[in-house]
């Protein structure tokens, strides 16, 4: 098995597209609950004719650390603790090369097997080898994979359900691009937004599975929600109480919370 190198410092959610099929139970993958220890594996990927600059990688890792510190602070406000101290990386010295990398567009049709593709390319025979390694060599209860892809695109998360192939989809993660679709620096808060999706958070702005009506309602109730708006100032954002309920930080839900599900399957 490939040994993971420990590294000290370290917008939209894709749901399984299977209309007319049983999608099973969601939140059935490697990140179980956003409390306790979380092992974060970061991966830097690029196409054969491209290469990440090393300083750009370090910058992304620092932004990731900033987002995780913010999540820890938000968890404490709800009386929970999260520990992101255990982590590893792949592709820091030399990029993991993929034949092609599809740019996220917000369509909901992006590929959701990128985690398994990257792990196989990195040398894993099975994605579950990574999960087993984390389980037996760390104190973390959760495993999340953060893929930084060279190029432009709109980040998205890849959540798993009990009806999906365990080998391909059990290890969950999110992909974030070097820049946005416009070529500008991606918003700082995009990382926290996508991480929260892995634990059950819904988008609160209009998407392929969220309604314009719910976005309007969210703007009135939670104008600073990280699931509603983007910002380079994380301290201007918050985890709203509906999102806190979805990620199991709020154990006193109100009936109207469910109305924010929209058309999302999760």
């Amino acid at each position: 098995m490939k040994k993971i190198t420990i590294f000290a410092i370290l917008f939209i959610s894709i749901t399984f597209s299977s209309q007319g099929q049983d999608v099973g139970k969601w939140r059935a993958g490697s990140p179980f609950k956003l409390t306790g220890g979380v092992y974060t594996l970061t991966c830097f990927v690029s196409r054969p004719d491209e290469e990440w600059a090393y300083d750009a990688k370090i910058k992304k890792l620092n932004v990731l650390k900033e987002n995780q510190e913010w999540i820890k602070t938000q968890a404490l406000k709800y009386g929970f603790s999260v520990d992101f101290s255990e982590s590893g990386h792949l592709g820091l010295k030399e990029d993991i090369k993929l034949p092609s990398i599809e740019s996220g567009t917000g369509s909901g049709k992006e590929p959701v097997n990128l985690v398994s593709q990257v792990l196989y390319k990195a040398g894993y025979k099975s994605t579950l080898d990574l999960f087993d390694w984390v389980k037996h060599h760390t104190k973390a209860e959760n495993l999340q994979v953060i893929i930084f892809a060279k190029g432009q695109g709109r980040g998205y998360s890849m959540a798993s359900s009990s009806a999906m192939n365990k080998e391909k989809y059990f290890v969950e993660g999110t992909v974030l691009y070097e820049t946005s679709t416009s070529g500008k620096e991606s918003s700082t808060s995009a990382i926290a937004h996508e991480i929260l999706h892995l634990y059950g958070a819904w988008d609160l702005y209009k998407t392929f599975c969220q309604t314009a009506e719910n976005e309007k309602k969210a703007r009135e109730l939670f104008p600073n929600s990280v699931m509603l708006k983007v910002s380079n100032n994380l301290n201007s954002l918050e985890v709203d109480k509906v999102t806190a309920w979805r990620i199991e930080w709020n154990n006193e839900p109100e009936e109207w919370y469910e109305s924010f599900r929209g058309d999302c399957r999760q």
Side-chain angles (χ1 to χ4, degrees), residues 13-28 108 112 159-164 197 200-203 207-211 214 245-246 258-266:
S13 177
I14 299 301
T15 54
F16 186 43
S17 180
S18 57
Q19 291 187 354
Q21 300 179 26
D22 176 18
V23 296
K25 182 180 179 181
W26 286 102
R27 287 185 279 179
V112 294
S160 182
S161 87
S162 58
M164 297 170 76
H197 273 313
W202 292 325
D203 281 319
T207 69
F208 64 92
C209 75
Q210 186 56 278
T211 66
N214 276 347
W245 163 64
R246 285 292 300 167
E258 184 64 32
S259 67
F260 279 98
R261 183 180 295 274
D263 298 322
C264 300
R265 293 183 180 272
Q266 272 190 301

Side-chain angles (χ1 to χ4, degrees), residues 177-196:
Y177 296 85
E178 183 179 24
T179 63
S180 67
T181 53
S182 66
K184 296 181 180 179
E185 190 81 19
S186 299
S187 171
T188 299
S189 63
I191 296 178
H193 179 102
E194 297 305 337
I195 287 176
L196 292 177

Side-chain angles (χ1 to χ4, degrees):
M1 175 181 168
K2 190 179 182 67
K3 184 178 180 181
I4 303 173
T5 303
I6 301 299
F7 196 62
I9 66 169
L10 256 99
F11 252 160
I12 78 174
S13 177
I14 299 301
T15 54
F16 186 43
S17 180
S18 57
Q19 291 187 354
Q21 300 179 26
D22 176 18
V23 296
K25 182 180 179 181
W26 286 102
R27 287 185 279 179
S30 60
F32 300 114
K33 188 176 181 181
L34 194 48
T35 58
V38 178
Y39 187 95
T40 303
L41 176 66
T42 56
C43 305
F44 289 93
V45 304
S46 62
R47 301 173 183 86
D49 59 341
E50 298 175 329
E51 187 75 24
W52 276 90
Y54 182 75
D55 60 347
K57 293 178 181 180
I58 296 301
K59 185 176 181 179
K60 290 295 185 185
L61 289 173
N62 285 331
V63 175
L64 171 60
K65 183 179 180 181
E66 180 184 354
N67 277 258
Q68 291 182 324
E69 288 297 321
W70 179 82
I71 290 173
K72 287 170 60 177
T73 300
Q74 291 292 306
L76 288 172
K77 292 180 179 179
Y78 286 94
F80 291 90
S81 62
V82 186
D83 180 7
F84 292 105
S85 62
E86 298 198 78
S87 60
H89 65 81
L90 296 170
L92 184 61
K93 291 184 178 180
E94 295 182 4
D95 295 2
I96 299 168
K97 295 295 183 179
L98 298 180
S100 63
I101 301 173
E102 186 170 329
S103 295
T105 62
S107 67
K109 298 179 181 179
E110 287 85 349
V112 294
N113 64 338
L114 194 57
V115 170
S116 56
Q117 286 185 41
V118 170
L119 292 181
Y120 295 148
K121 198 69 176 178
Y124 284 91
K125 301 301 182 184
S126 169
T127 61
L128 300 180
D129 287 346
L130 170 61
F131 181 73
D132 289 341
W133 185 91
V134 170
K135 185 169 61 175
H136 292 105
H137 292 83
T138 78
K139 296 180 181 180
E141 296 89 15
N142 301 282
L143 163 64
Q144 59 185 24
V145 177
I146 308 295
I147 298 170
F148 288 111
K150 177 77 174 173
Q152 300 179 3
R154 187 171 178 176
Y156 63 94
S157 61
M158 295 163 281
S160 182
S161 87
S162 58
M164 297 170 76
N165 182 290
K166 192 170 183 179
E167 169 60 31
K168 290 184 178 180
Y169 304 108
F170 178 78
V171 177
E172 298 181 22
T174 183
V175 58
L176 296 134
Y177 296 85
E178 183 179 24
T179 63
S180 67
T181 53
S182 66
K184 296 181 180 179
E185 190 81 19
S186 299
S187 171
T188 299
S189 63
I191 296 178
H193 179 102
E194 297 305 337
I195 287 176
L196 292 177
H197 273 313
L198 296 178
Y199 298 86
W202 292 325
D203 281 319
L204 296 179
Y205 62 92
K206 188 180 185 306
T207 69
F208 64 92
C209 75
Q210 186 56 278
T211 66
E213 180 183 0
N214 276 347
E215 177 180 341
K216 181 180 179 181
K217 185 163 52 174
R219 290 190 180 282
E220 294 172 355
L221 296 172
F222 329 114
N224 297 317
S225 173
V226 70
M227 303 311 295
L228 173 66
K229 62 186 288 188
V230 296
S231 177
N232 287 322
N233 179 10
L234 279 165
N235 291 327
S236 69
L237 302 176
E238 65 177 2
V239 172
D240 64 89
K241 58 185 179 181
V242 171
T243 298
W245 163 64
R246 285 292 300 167
I247 64 176
E248 298 186 52
W249 288 356
N250 177 1
N251 297 319
E252 298 180 355
E254 298 182 44
E255 289 185 8
W256 56 269
Y257 288 8
E258 184 64 32
S259 67
F260 279 98
R261 183 180 295 274
D263 298 322
C264 300
R265 293 183 180 272
Q266 272 190 301

